[in-house]
Structures are given as C-alpha cells and as structure tokens.
Amino acid sequence: MSFINYASREINCKIVYYGPGLCGKTTNLQFVYQKTAPDAKGKMISLATETERTLFFDFLPLSLGEIRGFKTRFHLYTVPGQVFYDASRKLILKGVDGVVFVADSQEERIDANIESLENLRLNLKEQGYDLDKLPYVVQYNKRDLPGAMSVEELRRELNPTNVPDYEACATTGEGVFETLKAVAKSILVDLKKGK
Amino acid sequence: MSNPQLVMYEEEFQEINDVIGRLLKEANSKVIFLVDKNGQLISGVGETERFDTTSLASLTAGNIAATGGLAKLIGEKEFSILFHEGEKDNLHISIVAGRVILVVLFDSRSSLGLVRLRVKKSSEELASIFEKLMKKSEEKEKRGSSDFPFAEITDDDIDNLFS
C-alpha cells in the first residue's frame, strides 16, 4: 500500500515487475536507471547471484515530481523469475501498489509466461490482493528476436482482461518508459479515487 | 487488504521523532531509522546523511520479510529481533507494533545489552503512537474527510508528471 506522509509531504508507491526467468525484468530497471536524471533517482540495488541472476530482488527508487505540493516517489522492484524462488516472490509482493507483467515474446517461452502469470495471480491472492483490481499492465518484451510470437497471439494467451499492454525491447529501451508511465499513471488514478 | 494504508500526520511524526531522538541518546547509538514493513522509510535521526536511507529502508524490509518467511517455516510467528554484528558497526533491528521496523546502528561506544534495554522501552511508546495513528486514519476514512491530497487532482496533473 502506498505510504502518505503529510509531515514531509510525500507519497510513496511500490511497483513490482513480475515475469518468468530471463524475461527482462532487471533489464527494464537497468534501462530506467540509465536514462533517469541523477537527481530523480536513488541507487539501484541488485541482490543477484554471481551469474547475475536475480536472487532476491532489484530495487530502484524514482521521484517523479510534485502533484499539488506532494512529492511522488515510486519504488520499483523486480522479483526473481526462476520457478524455485517462489517464497521470495511472495515476500516482494507485500504492499504492492501496481504490477508490470513482463512477458518473453519468444514462442518457446509461452508456457513459462503462462505459468508465471498464474503464479502472480495466486501469490497476490495469498496476500489478499486481486490482480483484476490492482493497477496492472503487460509488457511483451524481446520483440526484436526472430522467434517472437505475434502480439495478437500473446494478447490472447496473456492478457485476456485487456489491460494496457506494450511492446518492448528492454535492451534498447524501446517500450520501457511507456510501460512504466502506464502503471504509474494507473496507480495515481487509483489513489485519486481514494480507494 | 493485508495491510491498511499507512498515513503519517504532522503531530504523530513529531512524537515519533521525539521518541527515536531520545532513544538515540539513551542507547548511545549513531543512527536510528523507522521503516515501514513494505520498505518505505518513515523517519530517521542521527547521522542519517552518511547513509543511503532509501536503500537501507528497502533492504531492511527485505531482510525482515526473509527472516519472517524463515520463522513461518519453522512454526514461529516472526523473529521480532535481528542483530547483525560488524567489525565496527552493528545493527539492531526489531519489529514494533507488528508493522514497523526499528533499526538502531551503534558501535563500541554502546553495547547490545544497552540497546536492547532502551529499544524495549521506546518500542512500547512507539507502539502506542502507531496505534493512535491507525485509529486516526480509520476515523478519517469513516468520516470520509477529504484532506486526502489526491482526491482533487486532475488528469492533467497526472499527465504533467510525465511530460
């Protein structure tokens, strides 16, 4: 849940990037980190294995600017995508305000995408959240790879509820900020409703 | 939802800072942070400028979450105190009122025993402030009072953030 501090006039929100192993969650955060002005970002933290696989989470704090005198801050987290890190994934979803599901567009990863999406829904439910009620966007990553499925097919499999979705190539940064903006905006709109 | 939204008001913020400010002196510690279990920094006193407080908050929360997961695996509710000993500096991390994390950083000028003793006393005071805070938010919510800063923002306000 977002944290509203009237004393320091700040609103802090938490965004979690979810998806199967090697789909590009960490790459998304790295691109955001590289392209953000130094005064708008904090240090990026990656708790990763020696082979640069996410072990626990990546973390990147961003400030977006002010709305009505309140500083808006977003904390971006990724989860470890590999199946056996499920216990860690559950922990990172605690207190989430918005979710980005990063799908790997390659045909051979479609089953992994579907499994990860089901896992997301289940883990959220365990924490008392409903994915259909959370600010939520989908990103089809790795559009540049030759084995990428068509967006229509991916949409049919991974986005049956028709939430905003974006094509991306996280290594070049294409679609990365569009995805982030969409989820951040959706969180703010939700806050506006004062849920 | 598992955790209601945390809202901090000026009055309670001041009270919290008074308590942790006093703890800082009484425990002879260097820095004290209060962190929400979700990883948001609530407040800090002492030599805070020496540290990346945002990262510290997020890692502390991750640490508490991970040890909480371990606790559940062995049939415990949670481990309410964690202690990390370094060559010079040590961290005493404890859970207050079930939802906030109190982090005390101290060196050889203090001792674990002293920190534990003082933290225990301050935790009770902090717990009652947070209880008051939660009641206050609940009441405001029930009354539907509209001091919520985001109730009146427009779509343009939101768009402007991204321009």
Side-chain angles (χ1 to χ4, degrees), chain A residues 1-4 6-7 11-12 43 45 56 59 67-68 75 77 91 127 129 181 185 188 191-192, chain B residues 1-3 5-8 13 40-41 52 55 58 62 65 147-150 153 157-159 161-162:
Chain A
M1 293 301 301
S2 53
F3 167 39
I4 302 172
Y6 285 91
I11 294 191
N12 291 289
K43 218 163 108 187
I45 287 180
F56 195 4
F59 168 70
I67 291 189
R68 305 266 160 135
H75 289 178
Y77 285 83
L91 299 175
Q127 312 271 353
Y129 297 102
K181 279 177 191 174
K185 200 169 164 179
L188 293 172
L191 273 175
K192 182 184 159 184
Chain B
M1 295 280 163
S2 47
N3 249 343
Q5 190 165 47
L6 182 62
V7 181
M8 179 64 67
F13 190 67
Q40 322 273 17
L41 181 74
D52 176 355
S55 302
S58 122
D147 61 350
F148 186 65
F150 270 36
I153 59 167
D157 285 333
I158 296 176
D159 282 332
L161 267 188
F162 299 101

Side-chain angles (χ1 to χ4, degrees), chain B:
Chain B
M1 295 280 163
S2 47
N3 249 343
Q5 190 165 47
L6 182 62
V7 181
M8 179 64 67
Y9 300 98
E10 199 83 51
E11 186 191 346
E12 284 77 13
F13 190 67
Q14 196 51 53
E15 287 177 22
I16 286 167
N17 281 337
D18 289 347
V19 174
I20 56 175
R22 208 178 324 127
L23 176 62
L24 182 80
K25 283 196 205 105
E26 289 180 350
N28 246 346
S29 52
K30 290 166 94 172
V31 195
I32 296 180
F33 296 106
L34 256 189
V35 179
D36 177 62
K37 266 195 172 175
N38 298 333
Q40 322 273 17
L41 181 74
I42 297 170
S43 187
V45 292
E47 305 164 21
T48 50
E49 68 289 340
R50 277 184 49 213
F51 299 92
D52 176 355
T53 50
T54 316
S55 302
L56 204 136
S58 122
L59 286 174
T60 307
N63 194 348
I64 282 286
T67 32
L70 278 176
K72 286 206 180 69
L73 282 180
I74 63 159
E76 280 290 324
K77 189 171 151 264
E78 63 184 10
F79 294 124
S80 52
I81 295 177
L82 306 179
F83 175 57
H84 300 305
E85 188 176 296
E87 271 179 24
K88 285 194 213 112
D89 292 329
N90 314 296
L91 279 177
H92 182 282
I93 302 173
S94 55
I95 302 174
V96 175
R99 79 160 294 164
V100 289
I101 306 166
L102 179 65
V103 186
V104 181
L105 188 143
F106 65 96
D107 60 14
S108 57
R109 285 171 292 177
S110 184
S111 69
L112 178 58
L114 179 69
V115 171
R116 281 191 75 149
L117 182 75
R118 301 299 190 202
V119 160
K120 201 172 172 203
K121 185 171 157 258
S122 302
S123 292
E124 286 163 14
E125 292 175 48
L126 288 171
S128 70
I129 298 172
F130 276 98
E131 200 180 314
K132 198 169 84 180
L133 197 60
M134 293 314 286
K135 269 193 197 141
K136 196 166 169 179
S137 320
E138 271 168 33
E139 276 166 21
K140 286 210 180 208
E141 201 168 304
K142 262 188 222 153
R143 285 204 312 269
S145 80
S146 64
D147 61 350
F148 186 65
F150 270 36
E152 287 166 19
I153 59 167
T154 61
D155 288 351
D156 284 346
D157 285 333
I158 296 176
D159 282 332
N160 283 340
L161 267 188
F162 299 101
S163 56

Side-chain angles (χ1 to χ4, degrees), chain A residues 56-175:
Chain A
F56 195 4
F57 59 77
D58 303 303
F59 168 70
L60 175 61
L62 282 184
S63 8
L64 272 191
E66 291 194 1
I67 291 189
R68 305 266 160 135
F70 270 76
K71 280 177 235 148
T72 51
R73 292 223 165 105
F74 286 89
H75 289 178
L76 276 47
Y77 285 83
T78 66
V79 298
Q82 295 175 84
V83 176
F84 56 90
Y85 287 134
D86 200 38
S88 309
R89 275 195 294 277
K90 286 181 193 172
L91 299 175
I92 293 151
L93 283 176
K94 276 186 189 173
V96 66
D97 293 297
V99 178
V100 175
F101 183 79
V102 182
D104 190 327
S105 295
Q106 299 174 92
E107 196 161 7
E108 62 265 31
R109 297 299 285 164
I110 188 68
D111 289 340
N113 288 325
I114 293 171
E115 190 186 351
S116 175
L117 191 57
E118 281 169 3
N119 177 256
L120 166 65
R121 202 171 270 282
L122 197 73
N123 283 343
L124 281 171
K125 206 172 164 192
E126 266 184 40
Q127 312 271 353
Y129 297 102
D130 179 353
L131 182 61
D132 298 327
K133 290 183 184 144
L134 268 181
Y136 167 52
V137 302
V138 176
Q139 180 187 79
Y140 309 116
N141 193 22
K142 309 199 186 183
R143 296 308 301 158
D144 57 322
L145 293 188
M149 289 167 73
S150 75
V151 172
E152 289 70 36
E153 280 175 289
L154 287 166
R155 198 171 274 151
R156 198 165 49 235
E157 295 287 350
L158 304 172
N159 189 9
T161 50
N162 264 322
V163 297
D165 52 5
Y166 299 87
E167 293 184 54
C169 171
T171 46
T172 60
E174 202 180 313

